[in-house]
Amino acid sequence: MRREQDAQPFKRVRTPRKGEMPGVVEQIMGHGKLRVRCSDGNIRMTRIPGKMKKRIWIREGDVVLVKPWDFQTDEKADVIWRYTRTESNWLERKGFLKM
């Protein structure tokens, strides 16, 4: 029997909202910049905002959630979330990640 202490808390996966899209990190450029292949087919140069830089480590192949800039929408974006391996598998099964 499992005790309540051993049970892991249920955590919702953050789904893309309006203006956001998932993507896969292709290359780390340095200085907080990444090259990401987005689900719409574009490859965007993204930046990691200051509040995420020291807290979250992003590697090549990670699935991230990006928000394209208001101008240069097909070229640049900001990273707003990094998915874990389990969360990215769930996104792929549900059809959010079309690569």
Side-chain angles (χ1 to χ4, degrees):
M1 290 185 90
R2 290 181 65 167
R3 298 189 326 228
E4 283 189 36
Q5 300 169 358
D6 298 336
Q8 291 187 357
F10 179 75
K11 184 175 143 188
R12 284 194 187 270
V13 176
R14 180 155 177 345
T15 56
R17 297 184 181 126
K18 185 178 180 186
E20 302 172 349
M21 65 184 70
V24 178
V25 177
E26 283 193 341
Q27 188 176 8
I28 298 173
M29 308 301 285
H31 297 286
K33 299 215 183 332
L34 311 166
R35 185 173 287 148
V36 176
R37 180 178 299 278
C38 298
S39 60
D40 65 352
N42 289 335
I43 297 176
R44 289 183 170 87
M45 183 65 69
T46 62
R47 66 178 179 174
I48 303 171
K51 66 180 183 178
M52 288 180 66
K53 267 187 187 172
K54 299 290 183 196
R55 295 182 188 171
I56 296 177
W57 293 89
I58 299 176
R59 299 179 299 254
E60 289 181 14
D62 281 352
V63 176
V64 293
L65 189 62
V66 299
K67 182 172 177 65
W69 288 4
D70 293 335
F71 58 97
Q72 294 181 323
T73 57
D74 292 340
E75 300 169 14
K76 300 196 179 190
D78 286 329
V79 174
I80 55 175
W81 192 264
R82 179 184 60 93
Y83 290 106
T84 63
R85 183 75 58 198
T86 308
E87 291 172 338
S88 62
N89 289 340
W90 184 88
L91 283 173
E92 197 167 358
R93 278 197 321 265
K94 297 297 180 181
F96 287 105
L97 195 59
K98 301 174 189 97
M99 295 288 159

